[in-house]
């Protein structure tokens, strides 16, 4: 594998992809936490159930956020590799005309 300097466009593309990964992970974590721990705010549940729902919601939200970031960035690097092996003027995944 040879190392080369990345162009400004490539660096910008990576920055945007990282931002998208973090934003979508944050949104997913918020939705999951709200779905799991939401009943605590709506109903009066026993304190033990409140605590379990809050811990479960926070844990699940954190794990899914990390999985989302890894998935988005892994997919991005795979797409970059496919594009680097494509012939000039050819879109990866599409037959040449």
């Amino acid at each position: 594998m040879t190392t080369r300097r990345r162009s400004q466009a490539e660096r910008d593309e990576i920055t945007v992809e990282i931002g998208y990964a973090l934003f979508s992970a944050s949104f997913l974590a918020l939705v999951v936490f709200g779905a799991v721990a939401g009943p605590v705010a709506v109903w009066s549940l026993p304190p033990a159930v409140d605590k379990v729902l809050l811990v479960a919601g926070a844990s699940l939200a954190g794990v899914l956020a990390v999985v989302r970031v890894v998935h988005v960035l892994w997919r991005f690097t795979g797409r970059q590799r496919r594009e680097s092996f494509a012939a000039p003027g050819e879109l990866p995944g599409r037959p040449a005309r």
Side-chain angles (χ1 to χ4, degrees), residues 2-90:
T2 60
T3 306
R4 65 175 180 85
R5 290 184 55 95
R6 291 188 171 126
S7 69
Q8 184 63 44
E10 290 172 323
R11 290 194 307 265
D12 290 346
E13 185 180 13
I14 291 168
T15 302
V16 168
E17 198 69 22
I18 290 169
Y20 168 72
L22 292 173
F23 178 78
S24 65
S26 299
F27 182 76
L28 175 66
L30 180 70
V31 170
V32 168
F33 180 78
V36 174
V40 172
V42 177
W43 297 303
S44 61
L45 300 168
V49 174
D50 283 355
K51 186 173 182 176
V52 167
L53 287 177
L54 290 173
V55 169
S59 301
L60 186 60
V63 168
L64 289 179
V66 169
V67 168
R68 177 67 181 162
V69 168
V70 168
H71 178 262
V72 169
L73 295 179
W74 201 331
R75 190 184 70 210
F76 174 72
T77 57
R79 188 177 73 222
Q80 265 193 332
R81 283 192 192 113
R82 284 192 306 276
E83 289 175 359
S84 68
F85 291 119
E90 180 183 315

